[in-house]
Each structure stands twice: as structure tokens, then as C-alpha cells.
Amino acid sequence: MRHFKSFAVLAAISIGLGLGALGTAAADTPTLRILTYESFTSEWGLGTAIKPAFEKECGCKLEFISVEDGAALLSRLKLEGASSKADIVLGLDTNLTAETAATGLIADHGLDLSRLDLPMAWADKQFVPFDYGWFAFVYDKTRLPNPPQSLADLAKGDAKDKIVIEDPRTSTPGLGLLMWVRKVYGDKAPDYWASLKPRILTVTKGWSEAYDMFLKGEAALVLSYTTSPSYHLIEEKKDQYAAGDFAEGNYLQIEVAAKLAHAPQPALADKFLAFMLSPGFQSAVATTNWMYPAKTPAEGLPAGFAAPLPKDKTLLFTPEEAGQGRRAWVDEWLKAMSR
Amino acid sequence: MTTRAHTLNLPLLGGLASLVVILLLIGGAFVALLLAAADIDIGAVVGDSYIRHVVGFTVWQAALSTLLSVGLGVPVVRALARRPRFFGREGLRYLFAMPFLTPVIVAIFGLVAIYGVSGWLNRGLDLLGSAQDFHLYGLAGILIAHVFFNMPMVVTLLLPRFEAVPADSWRLAAQLGMKSGAIFRVIELPLLRQTLPTIAMLVFLLCFVSFVVVLALGGGPQATTLEVAIYQALRFDFDLGRGVSLALLQLAIGAGLFAMTRLLERQMPLMPKLRSLVARPDAAGRLGRALDLIVIAIAALFVATPLAAIVIEGILGSVGHLVSDPRLQLGTLRSLTIAGCASLLCGCLALGISMSGRQRPGRSPRWSGLLQMASVSGLVVSPLALGTGLFLLFRPVVDQPWIAYGLVVAMNAIMALPFGLRTLSQAVADAAREDDRLCGALGLSGWNRWRLIDWPKLRRPLGGCLALAFSLALGDLSAIALFGRDGMETLPLLLYQQMGAYHMPDANVTAALLLILNFACYAAIAAGVGGRARR
């Protein structure tokens, strides 16, 4: 039956390709598994950049398991529970650490973190920060000559200059803005959201869609980071992008990693957390993750990289405040934005 | 009866096996979710005013989208049915199959490029001197996107039914001197009454569970579907009880609709077909011809421009260095493998289910209702809930690459099954009606019947089913994002990573590649398995 050949060929190709492409990783070297978000493990990501150095140092294999967004990490941890094969979770931020710690799945790091270069002292016994950055509204100077100088400005600006933001239910920048507004406006946050709503073009699932829309000229402003223009300047030699530092201050994101209590390779996990604060990791942070290294490397930040904001312009809830408020504030945002 | 009892009823067994596979996977996933959930309070979910708002909006936008997709699709089908021969008609069939198969995130690229603030449409309006800009975001954006996805699907599903109207009907219509209006009333309306309920239901359900489109183009959380609420519950709050309750609510609404359309749908056996195409009596006339071609051209333009925009933006990207990129090559290979396996699995399930529905006359197919129900479950079961449940179910072994790949393949096959089945089951039923007596008289059964009678008739819909499942799986992001890990990056995942790393020009290339690959594979499988159109 000639016609069945097509069937058979399809099957054979599938299986053949499968065996070839999928491959298996059966080796005797121990494997350290890190649960993290997509952009960490992509070709241009921080994870890919530091992988060879760490594998050489530890004589082990580094394997990443990735979820779409940092916002999905906590639920992934809960989903996997104690049966997780991961040793380390990397990419949560301080808005999510209190709830993560409450799962009982996180172990102590045992590191001395008194000499980091964060905008504030760090005393957490479980989470190790590896980079930080401020959320900001990014714009194109050639298209927006009079950018907003504050959150208040942002809501008052020309309704024709639209803003794209991310959904706080599905992405960490979206959650960051929620915290930012709450920090500045407190219980008046719903009123602020109501006043901002006419300027919002759309609310995307993740940072990628939002930033893509901005670059394609759909919106005048996008919720991103103060360091986003540095990417365009350093990698693309384009200097027309800028990020607003606002009069009220900008909300800080500190990205952290932690060892899991049930880590199959606890010793390797400890090694990785220590490596994470070494120059081999920290000097790759700026131009891969486009954030500030938690411990500035000796050579400093790369030329053209945006200068950090001053400490008194830094807004941040404690992990406990953020953890307690999160659900109620998301609901409040939903109500205000659905009206 | 007794003489038959000892012979194996292969079709029925195949159907039962398919049913068991589907029920085990979906049922298992839900049981796992229910067991893991701390408390389930469906009452609280239904009573929640926000959820009621969400359900209301979900139904409203889905109803509008369905109305528009069907309302715009039917005139296109009519026009195409009246013009059985013109240059590029076969190409149009493939074009109309595309939007539905285009990964949502890629399609949004294209739609924004056309209808966005600085898109082709607004630039065109500027050239015409219009100061008024067209705004894509909000309900308009959702509707445009949903019509883009579903109107061509309506055409794809409906056109074969229009083309299957027996030549005798047209001869008779011509002899009676029927005009366009009478033809519509006497021939086309009954056909629509028979086929439209299921097609409309399909469109409605697709829009009902729409997620990325609604978030990206909806303009804010006032435009939220149940699926987003499920996402929030499962992926963000990890409130399994709420997630399951919402998923069950979605399942109940979907299943209710499905049951309703089954009541509406009239099983109307078609006459034995003389497949030679006879010119329709209403096809003559210059004005009609011009109108038909205009309708076809507008529809083609509406479908083609966003797709063209994706390809053009891709070519403007950094094609050269990307094509030699091993990540892209490996990603392509992985995507093709997963899609191939999912397509085969879906094809087997769909064939099993359709064949088992084919019973000897006089015996009511007791299973077929249940089978059909189980097979549309891929439409009404939230992929997020299914994935999370499967993850819980396979938790101890999910880090094994083969298990992870298996789950991705299985999830994609189940999600594609309703569409695959849609293209296959009617053809199987028709073939059975036409040939059962003949085969019975000739004593043809089993393999010989399949080889001689069924295969030549069914290869075309089977090819369509396989091609459809292949393309849908090729664009999958939800299953791979859940079960994928280091070294399992498929093309859609790579696209997502490129976008996440500010590499938008690269992302444009990947999107274009994904689209072209999708188109090529669909056409190759549809033609390879299905053979050439028999005219």
C-alpha cells in the first residue's frame, strides 16, 4: 500500500528525529538543578553565561528547569512540593519571599551577606540576593519630548500618549507596579488606578509582549526597568530610549535565590549560592540580566550602564508587608481597573 | 447476532481504547487536582461578584465573536462554493487554514502590525488624510483577533459541506429555474441548519477559553476570561480549590453548550454523491461573479495581511546569523518531533472514535454520545487545569525527559482532538452510510474494507486531521512551558526567550520561521496523506 507509506514515513521521521534531537543525559557527574525563569536560561541569559564557569568550578553538571515568569516560580515550588528534584530556586523577588518561606520548602543559606552593594542592608537568613533594579516607565525621547516626572504626572499626562503595563497576576513587573502605587498612595491606590486607567493602552500577560508593543510604536511608555535603555545603548548603540526616575521614588526589585530544604545535592547548592556572589557570576549580571549586580565587581559597571538611583529615591515594602498585602491589593486593582 | 459476537469488533475496540486514554488523562488530572486541593467551594466561586463579571464578559465577547465569525464566514463560503474554479482557489484553502493554526503570540505580532497604532491601516488612513486613528485595543481588538482566527475556520469547515451538495440538486434547481434566493432557502439553509450549530459552538468555545488574545488586546482586566481567572488561581495564588472550581465551572458551561448543539443539530443523511461538480445555476451572471470575487478578495486580504506582515518583519530581521544558529535548528527539530508524535496520537484517537461511532444500521450507537463528549473535552477543559493536574499526577517522575515529552505530546493530542475529530467524524459517518450495505452484500469487512473502500474516501479528511493536529502542536506554548526544561526548548519557547531578552528582531525571524514551517508542514501532510483533490 503506497499510501500508507506517508503514514509510516511520518511516524519513522518523528521517532527518528526524536531519538536524535531529544537525547538523554546519563552521566556519572552529579547534577545541580536550578528552578528559574525563562529569560535566565535563554541563549543570552545570565544562566547560560555563568554555566561553564560554575560547572568547571564544581565538577558537576548544571541543569535549569524554567517557568515563564518569576511570578510562576512560587506556585511551581508548591506544585512540586517536597518531591521536587530541584536544589535551588532562583528568580523570586522580595514581593514573593515571605510567602515562599512560609511553605517550609526553603533552607537557610548560612552565608555572611553583610558586605553586599544593595541599596539597603540585607539580613534574610534564607534568601540570597543576586541582583536588583528599579521599575520605571521607559519611553522614546524622540517621540515623547515631555516625559512624566512622577506617578502623579503619569496619570495626568496626555491621554493620547498611551502606556502599556503588565498584569500583576501574571508577571513580576506588573506586581512591582502594584506595590509601587500602593507604597506611594496607600489606601488611595484604587483612586490612583482609576485616574491612570484612561491612559493605559492594554495590560499584557508578561514583560515581553508589553516591551514588544512599545518598540513597535504602539505605546509611548512601557513599564520596565531603569536599566532597559542601557540595553539599547550598549547592544544596539541607540540612545533615544530613556527611563523616568520619578519624584516619589521608584520601586525596587531585588531578585533572590535560595536552597531548597529537600535539595538532593545540598553541598552543591551551597557552593552555587556562594559562587553566585563571586565575580564570576556578578560581572555577568549587568549585560545579561540587565540589572545591577548585588556585589559590584572590581571593574565596576560596564560603560554606558545607567547609574543606580539614590537610596532616598528607593521604595520597597518589607517581604512581610508585601506578602500580607498581595492578594488584597491584586483584588483591589482588579476592581478599580474593571470599573 | 450470535454469529457476529465472536468476531472482534475492531472499530468499537479502538473507540473504547481511545475513550479510556482520554478519560484516564483528563479524569486523572482532575482527580489529582481535587485530592491536592485543600478545600473546594464552588458556591463561593459562583457567588463571587468579580467571577460573575468575568463569566458575563467571557460569554458576551464569545457570543459577539461567534456571530461575527459565522456571519462573515457564510458569505465567503457561498462565494467560494459558487466559483469552483479560479486561479489560486486551492491556495486560498490553505491560506484560510492558516490563522487558526498560527500560534497566538505570533498572530498578535501580525495583527498589531496591521491594526496597531503605527500599523499599516493607520498609516494608510494617514495617507488618505484621515486624522482619526483606528484603535485596536479593547473589545474591538478582541473581536478582530477572534474573527481573524475563526472566520477562516468557519470557511474551512463549511466549504466541504457546500461542495458536497449532490450534482442532482443543482440540475434540479436549474430545471426549476431557481434564483439565488430560492436556492438559499431550499438548498443552502437546510445545509446551514444542519452544520452551523456545531461550527458555531466550536467557535464559541474557542473564544470562550481565549486567554492570551484577551489579555494582550483587551485593554485591561475589565476584559478578562475565565481562563485568566484560572491562571491566577493555579499559577499565581496556587489556590487549587479555586482553580478547580473555576475549571469545573468552565467545563460545565462548555459541556452544557455542547449538549445543546447536539439537540439542535439535525442528522440529515446526504444523498449518495455524484462528485462531478456541476455548475450552480446561480453562478452565472456578471454582477454575481463580480460580487463573489470582491467578497473572496476582501476575506483573503483580511486573512493574508497579518500573516504577510509577520513574514515581512521576519525577513527584515537578522535572518542570516539566525539560520545558522544551532539553537534554532535544534528547536526546529524538537518542535517537529513533538508535533509529529502529537499528530499521530491525535490521528489514532480521532480514527478510533469516529470508526466506533459507525455501527450497523438499526443499532443505536450507545457509546458514540459519550465518545463525542469525551473528545470535545479538549475544548472545554482548561489547558492550565489539565496541565497542572497532569503535573501533580506524574509528580514523582516528571523530571524524566521521556515522561515530560510524553506528557507534552499527550496534552497536545488531546487539545487538538476536537478539531481533528471535526474533520474526520462526519466523513466517516457519511462513508458508512454510503457503503455499509454494499460492503455487507459483498462480505467486505476488516482490513480489506478499510483498504479498498474506506481509505480512498477517508484519506483526505484523515490527512486534514493529522495536518491540523501537527500544526496546533507545533505552536504549543502552554504544555511545553509547564513540562519543558533545560534542553527541551521548542521554537515557540525560543521565541518567548528571544522576546524576554530584548531580542525583538530575532524574535521576528523566529515568528516568521514558525509561521512558514507551520504552513509548509500543514500543506505537506494534508497533501501527502490526503492525496490530490479528486475532481
Side-chain angles (χ1 to χ4, degrees), chain A residues 1-4 6-7 10-15 17-25 33 38-39 41-45 48 51 61-69 71-76 78-83 85 96 99 143 162 167-171 175 197 200-209 211-213 215-219 224-225 227-229 231-232 235-236 289-290 326-327 330-331 333-335 337-339, chain B residues 49-50 53 105 108-109 112-113 115-119 135-138 211-212 214-222 224 228-229 231-232 234-240 313 322 325 327 330 333-334 336-341 343-344 351 388 391-392 395-402 405 447 450-451 455 459 462 466 470 477 480-487 489 493-494 496-506 508 525 528-529:
Chain A
M1 283 307 292
R2 200 175 59 82
H3 303 315
F4 285 99
S6 32
F7 232 154
L10 187 65
I13 288 176
S14 297
I15 293 161
L17 286 182
L19 290 172
L22 313 182
T24 45
R33 291 192 176 83
E38 284 297 343
S39 56
T41 67
S42 79
E43 187 182 351
W44 317 269
T48 310
K51 190 175 175 175
K61 204 177 159 304
L62 200 56
E63 192 181 295
F64 301 119
I65 305 157
S66 42
V67 300
E68 287 159 89
D69 189 283
L73 274 175
L74 171 55
S75 75
R76 178 63 172 245
K78 289 181 179 171
L79 185 63
E80 295 194 0
S83 71
K85 302 284 193 297
L96 297 163
E99 282 172 80
R143 292 187 55 212
K162 292 284 184 186
D167 197 311
R169 294 170 291 175
T170 51
S171 82
L175 184 60
K197 199 183 154 211
I200 293 177
L201 180 74
T202 195
V203 182
T204 63
K205 178 164 171 272
W207 177 90
S208 309
E209 296 100 306
Y211 209 78
D212 184 55
M213 282 182 175
L215 287 183
K216 293 211 167 118
E218 291 300 292
S224 187
Y225 296 88
T227 43
S228 298
Y231 171 83
H232 298 288
E235 294 289 323
E236 299 178 336
N289 234 24
W290 300 95
R326 187 176 72 118
R327 278 194 191 204
V330 168
D331 285 346
W333 176 83
L334 281 175
K335 285 212 175 70
M337 293 289 289
S338 303
R339 238 182 263 149
Chain B
S49 71
Y50 175 71
H53 164 84
I105 201 163
I108 290 174
F109 272 33
V112 166
Y115 303 101
V117 176
S118 41
H135 284 286
L136 176 64
Y137 303 89
F211 173 26
V212 180
V214 174
L215 266 187
L217 303 178
Q222 72 272 22
T224 288
V228 181
Y231 185 101
Q232 181 186 359
L234 290 181
R235 292 285 164 82
F236 197 59
D237 296 339
F238 202 70
D239 188 341
L240 290 182
E313 296 230 7
L322 260 187
D325 184 345
R327 289 223 179 197
L330 268 178
L333 220 54
R334 285 192 201 101
L336 291 177
T337 309
I338 290 174
C341 295
S343 159
L344 284 174
L351 204 58
T388 309
F391 197 102
L392 283 170
R395 193 151 69 166
V397 288
V398 80
D399 65 315
Q400 303 293 320
W402 294 108
Y405 274 115
W447 174 245
W450 167 255
R451 189 168 63 90
W455 171 250
R459 57 182 296 196
L462 187 62
L466 289 173
F470 188 96
L477 192 57
I480 193 72
L482 189 59
F483 296 109
R485 57 192 53 235
D486 206 14
E489 291 89 357
L493 213 52
L494 189 67
Y496 198 78
Q497 290 184 348
Q498 287 165 334
M499 288 175 76
Y502 294 91
H503 287 240
M504 303 306 172
D506 290 1
N508 287 338
I525 296 173
V529 179

Side-chain angles (χ1 to χ4, degrees), chain B residues 65-135:
Chain B
S65 303
T66 309
L67 208 65
L68 282 173
S69 302
V70 173
L72 295 170
V74 169
V76 180
V77 171
R78 263 198 109 193
L80 280 169
R82 275 205 290 243
R83 311 287 150 206
R85 262 178 286 269
F86 61 85
F87 177 74
R89 192 173 184 274
E90 199 60 19
L92 272 187
R93 291 179 86 108
Y94 285 120
L95 176 68
F96 280 6
M98 279 321 289
F100 176 64
L101 304 170
T102 308
V104 177
I105 201 163
V106 174
I108 290 174
F109 272 33
L111 288 167
V112 166
I114 303 298
Y115 303 101
V117 176
S118 41
W120 296 5
L121 179 69
N122 277 324
R123 270 187 272 163
L125 287 177
D126 285 348
L127 283 180
L128 295 174
S130 161
Q132 205 63 40
D133 267 356
F134 174 79
H135 284 286

Side-chain angles (χ1 to χ4, degrees), chain B residues 346-428:
Chain B
C346 177
C348 291
L349 292 174
L351 204 58
I353 289 171
S354 323
M355 297 294 270
S356 74
R358 183 165 85 173
Q359 295 286 316
R360 281 177 293 280
R363 270 180 63 185
S364 74
R366 207 178 304 162
W367 288 101
S368 75
L370 190 60
L371 278 170
Q372 298 269 351
M373 199 76 186
S375 57
V376 290
S377 49
L379 251 178
V380 290
V381 169
S382 154
L384 283 163
L386 179 63
T388 309
L390 287 177
F391 197 102
L392 283 170
L393 201 61
F394 288 88
R395 193 151 69 166
V397 288
V398 80
D399 65 315
Q400 303 293 320
W402 294 108
I403 302 278
Y405 274 115
L407 287 171
V408 171
V409 166
M411 237 181 104
N412 275 308
I414 289 182
M415 292 298 158
L417 188 58
F419 312 104
L421 205 64
R422 180 74 222 160
T423 57
L424 199 58
S425 65
Q426 191 68 46
V428 169

Side-chain angles (χ1 to χ4, degrees), chain B residues 163-168 171 271-278:
Chain B
E163 287 175 344
V165 171
D168 284 350
R171 290 206 189 92
M271 294 288 115
K273 288 167 226 167
L274 288 171
R275 288 196 189 241
S276 64
L277 275 178
V278 172

